[in-house]
Amino acid sequence: MTVSLEQLHRCHFGVDLGAARTRVYVKGAGLVVDEPSVAAVNTRTGALIAVGELAERMTGRTPGYIRVVRPVSGGTVVDIDMAQRMLSHLLDDKLRRTLRRKPRLRAAACVPHDADPLAQRAATETLIGLGARRVELVDTLIAAAVGCGLPVEQPEATMILVCGAATTQVAVLSMGAIVTAERIPVGGDAIDDAIVQHLRHQHELMLPSQSVRPLQLALSGNGLTTQGPESTEIHGRDVATGLARSVHVQTSAVREAIHTPLTAVLDGLGKVLRNCPPDLVADLADRGIMMVGGSALLPGLDQMLRTATGMPVHIAERPDTCAVRGLGEMLEGKIEPMRLDPLAE
C-alpha cells in the first residue's frame, strides 16, 4: 500500500476526488458527501454560485458570465483553488467546524495508479486548504479492492478493473501490493462521446449534454447486449434545422460505435496479464476479474470482457463507491495486515 494501515487509522477523514463525482468519508460518520465534481462560478465577480448536483444541472444552460467548471480531470486535480472551494461548500458548516476542532487534522486521499509527483502534490494541497495538517495518499486500486471485499492482504492473486469517467485502471494485487498494473486513458466519457458522434454522423442528431451521460438515457433496458431491444427512440436537436427531432436507433449500430474505445480496455487488460507471473494468472483463472467504478455498470461490458479473456467477470455491489468505502474501512481500522514475522536464527 502507499502508506501503512497504522498511519491511515490516525486520519480523520478521506476524500475520493474523481472526474465525475467527489466523495468524502468521515471517521465515525460514514459517507457524508457524494456529489458531482462540478462548480458554477460567476466570471465577473469570481463568486461561487453552485456546486455538486445543482451545478451539474446548469451545464449548457447558463448565460455567458456564468462558467461551469470541473476542477478534477482523470482523477487528478487540475484547479487546486476551485477544488478547495468546491469541497468546502460540499461539506456543511457543522461538519467543517467539527473537523477544524481536531488538534492535528489528518486526511487521506485516493490517487490514480502511477500518479506523477505533480498530481500527488495537487491532491495534497487541496486537502491542506481544508485545514488538514497531514495528508496520506492511497492508490485508488488498493482502496477499491478493499472496498469490494477482495482479500488483498493474502498471498493469492486478485484482479480489479476500475472503470472511471476519464480513465480505466486494471491491476493484479497480491499480499497488499500491486504486482502489475496499467492505466488506460479511456473511460465512460469516451464511450459517451462515441455514441454522440455516431448519432451526429449517422442520424444528424445532436443530444443535449444532460442526455449523454449516463448511457441509459440513450438506450433503454440492456440495449448494449444482444438480448436487449433491437431499437430505441432518442430525442435531440436536428443538426441542419436546429429543431427538436426524434429518431429510432438500432442498438446493434451503437454496439459497433463503442467497440473502438472498449478495444483499448481489452488491450490494457491483455498487457497486464502478459506481465503477470504464471502462478498468479492461474489463481485468476478461478477467481476472475472484479469490476468497480461507475462505468462498470455499462450494459454488456462484463460479457465482453468474459468473452475476450475466458475468465469469470464480476461486478461489485455498489461499484461506484467502492474506492471511498475501502478508504473508510482503512480509516476505521477494519483491515488487518498479514503478519510476516522474521524466522528465528
Side-chain angles (χ1 to χ4, degrees):
M1 294 188 180
T2 312
V3 292
S4 70
L5 290 172
E6 184 180 353
Q7 289 174 306
L8 287 174
H9 189 45
R10 296 174 185 169
C11 294
H12 301 96
F13 71 102
V15 178
D16 178 19
L17 277 169
R21 300 186 74 87
T22 293
R23 299 178 175 93
V24 180
Y25 185 100
V26 176
K27 186 187 288 187
L31 185 61
V32 296
V33 173
D34 186 0
E35 296 274 348
S37 303
V38 188
V41 62
N42 187 325
T43 56
R44 294 174 180 172
T45 63
L48 202 61
I49 296 173
V51 295
E53 296 281 358
L54 180 58
E56 189 174 53
R57 289 202 301 270
M58 292 182 180
T59 304
R61 296 184 171 92
T62 60
Y65 66 91
I66 296 178
R67 188 164 57 100
V68 177
V69 297
R70 293 182 178 270
V72 184
S73 176
T76 300
V77 177
V78 293
D79 188 337
I80 296 176
D81 178 62
M82 189 57 65
Q84 288 175 348
R85 295 172 68 186
M86 180 187 73
L87 270 173
S88 180
H89 281 79
L90 288 176
L91 294 168
D92 58 44
D93 293 336
K94 182 180 178 181
L95 189 55
R96 283 203 305 271
R97 287 195 298 268
T98 302
L99 290 176
R100 284 173 179 169
R101 289 195 197 104
K102 305 290 183 183
R104 286 188 59 84
L105 184 63
R106 288 175 175 244
C110 291
V111 293
H113 178 67
D114 284 347
D116 57 46
L118 189 61
Q120 296 180 18
R121 178 68 181 270
T124 302
E125 290 292 332
T126 300
L127 297 190
I128 287 176
L130 291 178
R133 300 290 297 275
R134 183 183 175 97
V135 179
E136 310 290 357
L137 301 180
V138 182
D139 197 306
T140 301
L141 291 166
I142 297 288
V146 171
C148 64
L150 293 178
V152 293
E153 295 291 341
Q154 299 303 315
E156 53 191 26
T158 54
M159 191 172 200
I160 188 165
L161 188 74
V162 181
C163 308
T167 61
T168 298
Q169 302 176 72
V170 57
V172 175
L173 312 174
S174 181
M175 295 182 66
I178 296 173
V179 178
T180 178
E182 189 75 17
R183 185 151 60 129
I184 308 150
V186 171
D189 291 344
I191 296 171
D192 292 340
D193 185 62
I195 290 182
V196 170
Q197 295 304 318
H198 169 75
L199 293 174
R200 184 183 180 93
H201 294 149
Q202 300 299 322
H203 299 277
E204 298 184 346
L205 189 77
M206 290 183 64
L207 283 180
S209 59
Q210 298 294 315
S211 298
V212 177
R213 183 174 178 87
L215 289 172
Q216 52 264 36
L217 293 180
L219 294 170
S220 58
N222 290 329
L224 297 183
T225 63
T226 54
Q227 292 79 23
E230 291 185 1
S231 65
T232 187
E233 187 177 15
I234 298 177
H235 305 278
R237 190 185 76 184
D238 189 279
V239 173
T241 65
L243 300 176
R245 185 165 65 91
S246 61
V247 297
H248 283 274
V249 178
Q250 297 295 321
T251 53
S252 58
V254 176
R255 283 200 301 273
E256 198 67 33
I258 68 171
H259 188 267
T260 300
L262 290 182
T263 300
V265 176
L266 294 177
D267 291 343
L269 191 63
K271 184 176 180 181
V272 168
L273 290 173
R274 287 193 297 272
N275 294 334
C276 189
D279 291 340
L280 295 183
V281 175
D283 291 345
L284 295 175
D286 297 327
R287 179 165 282 119
I289 305 169
M290 179 65 74
M291 294 175 61
V292 302
S295 299
L297 298 173
L298 175 66
L301 179 56
D302 55 337
Q303 183 58 46
M304 183 178 181
L305 294 176
R306 205 174 285 120
T307 303
T309 63
M311 295 192 300
V313 178
H314 315 282
I315 300 177
E317 184 180 355
R318 293 289 310 276
D320 52 335
T321 60
C322 280
V324 72
R325 283 190 285 118
L327 193 60
E329 288 184 24
M330 289 186 276
L331 262 59
E332 301 282 4
K334 296 180 180 178
I335 305 300
E336 290 293 332
M338 188 176 72
R339 302 294 180 184
L340 294 175
D341 297 325
L343 298 174
E345 294 292 342

